[in-house]
């Protein structure tokens, strides 16, 4: 049996759909279980029950400070070892992302998994095309961002879910592998051109000021988002890899269209 963690999240729910569509036996775990999901709360160690699970798809429990994320992942790995899980598949961050603010938790988790004695596969996911589009701001004249002319090898979330499902369906054939799952590089200028509008670059200082003034963000998020902006702006996130297309067996989804659609959906928001 396969379990996918964080089953109410967007990536995990898509991965569950992919596995179900392939007729693979799978169950989702969530801190808010409903619709047949199991209760699984990374902060409640008593809920970490993986008995009967042979393959665990560990969707990163981000959106917290590094120490909390790593503690959550350590607890999951320890419970997986205790309960006889054979293989862990972890959704990590692209290797080009070591400069962004949330990379450390991913790399620490990779080490935990690789030292666990379990079989493992690391999926180093590129940043979502949906996120890239959503991070662009609308102005009366078009789009604005701190990304400059830098490019990002963004990838559609659905493609990452499909790749995770491919690996989870036959985990033994992917044991000990680390995959770089990225799409074709795109820039904010490309997204703007797709939408038929202009793109204006703002400074990193202005962007950080805007983030710090946003009281909907948690304390760790402004530096995290600023690190993404400077990584893109200065050419550190435009890597290439054939791994995604090879796993899917088909060309990847046009991530530029996905990003443009995400940006368009934010207009007037």
């Amino acid at each position: 049996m396969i379990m996918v963690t964080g089953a109410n999240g967007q990536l995990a729910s898509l991965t569950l759909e992919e596995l179900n569509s392939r007729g693979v036996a799978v169950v989702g775990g969530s801190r808010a279980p409903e619709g047949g999901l199991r209760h699984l709360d990374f902060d409640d160690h008593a809920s970490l029950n993986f008995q009967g699970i042979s393959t665990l798809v560990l969707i990163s429990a981000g959106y917290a400070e590094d120490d909390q994320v790593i503690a959550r992942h350590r607890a999951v790995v320890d419970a997986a070892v205790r309960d006889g899980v054979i293989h862990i598949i972890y959704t990590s961050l692209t290797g080009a992302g070591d400069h962004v603010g949330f990379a450390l938790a991913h790399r620490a988790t990779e080490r935990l998994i690789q030292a666990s004695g379990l079989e493992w596969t690391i999926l180093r996911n590129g940043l979502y095309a949906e996120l890239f589009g959503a991070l662009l701001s609308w102005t009366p004249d078009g789009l604005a961002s701190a990304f400059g002319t830098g490019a990002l090898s963004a990838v559609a979330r659905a493609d990452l879910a499909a790749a995770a499902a491919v690996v989870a369906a036959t985990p033994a054939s992917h044991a000990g592998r680390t995959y770089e799952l990225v799409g074709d590089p795109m820039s904010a200028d490309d997204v703007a051109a797709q939408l038929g509008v202009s793109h204006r670059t703002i400074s990193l200082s202005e962007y950080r000021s805007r983030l710090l003034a946003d009281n909907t963000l948690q304390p760790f998020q402004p530096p995290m988002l600023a690190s993404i902006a400077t990584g893109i702006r200065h050419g550190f996130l435009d890597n290439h890899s054939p791994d995604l297309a090879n796993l899917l067996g088909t060309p990847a989804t046009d991530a530029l269209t996905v990003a443009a659609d995400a940006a368009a959906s934010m207009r007037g928001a």
Side-chain angles (χ1 to χ4, degrees):
M1 175 70 78
I2 300 167
M3 175 180 274
V4 179
T5 70
N8 283 323
Q10 295 183 76
L11 178 60
S13 61
L14 287 171
T15 303
L16 283 170
E17 290 176 13
E18 282 284 343
L19 287 164
N20 282 321
S21 72
R22 298 164 188 263
V24 178
V26 60
V27 64
S30 172
R31 67 171 58 195
E34 56 185 23
L37 300 179
R38 289 192 191 179
H39 179 229
L40 187 72
D41 184 343
F42 290 0
D43 295 321
D44 176 9
H45 293 184
S47 75
L48 301 179
N49 181 356
F50 301 118
Q51 293 182 12
I53 302 300
S54 58
T55 299
L56 181 65
V57 182
L58 174 55
I59 305 294
S60 173
Y63 300 104
E65 297 285 359
D66 287 345
D67 56 346
Q68 187 174 12
V69 174
I70 294 167
R72 288 170 173 170
H73 291 171
R74 180 180 289 111
V76 171
V77 172
D78 289 347
V81 172
R82 178 199 67 205
D83 291 342
V85 171
I86 296 171
H87 196 120
I88 291 184
I89 300 164
Y90 176 59
T91 59
S92 189
L93 172 70
T94 175
D98 279 345
H99 299 84
V100 302
F102 52 94
L104 187 148
H106 283 297
R107 301 298 175 247
T109 302
E110 291 180 11
R111 290 184 180 184
L112 287 171
I113 292 170
Q114 291 166 345
S116 69
L118 303 178
E119 294 182 4
W120 54 266
T121 306
I122 305 298
L123 305 180
R124 285 187 163 179
N125 291 348
L127 297 185
Y128 301 141
E130 294 89 341
L131 173 65
F132 186 51
L135 290 177
L136 298 170
S137 299
W138 284 97
T139 74
D141 300 320
L143 292 170
S145 80
F147 301 141
T149 59
L152 168 68
S153 297
V155 58
R157 187 183 283 110
D159 279 354
L160 296 175
V166 167
V167 174
T170 57
S173 60
H174 303 280
R177 298 290 302 274
T178 297
Y179 293 109
E180 283 286 337
L181 303 182
V182 296
D184 293 330
M186 71 177 78
S187 68
D189 287 340
D190 294 330
V191 175
Q194 183 93 345
L195 295 173
V197 299
S198 63
H199 169 246
R200 177 174 63 87
T201 296
I202 64 173
S203 70
L204 289 166
S205 177
E206 181 180 349
Y207 184 52
R208 188 181 295 271
S209 295
R210 291 183 183 183
L211 293 171
L212 291 172
D214 186 345
N215 58 16
T216 68
L217 297 178
Q218 298 184 49
F220 70 90
Q221 289 180 300
M224 177 193 75
L225 292 169
S227 72
I228 292 174
T230 191
I232 295 171
R233 187 180 186 122
H234 295 104
F236 282 88
L237 287 167
D238 59 351
N239 52 323
H240 298 261
S241 172
D243 288 350
L244 181 62
N246 289 344
L247 281 178
L248 297 179
T250 61
T253 300
D254 180 11
L256 176 57
T257 297
V258 174
D261 288 346
S265 71
M266 300 297 291
R267 193 168 197 167

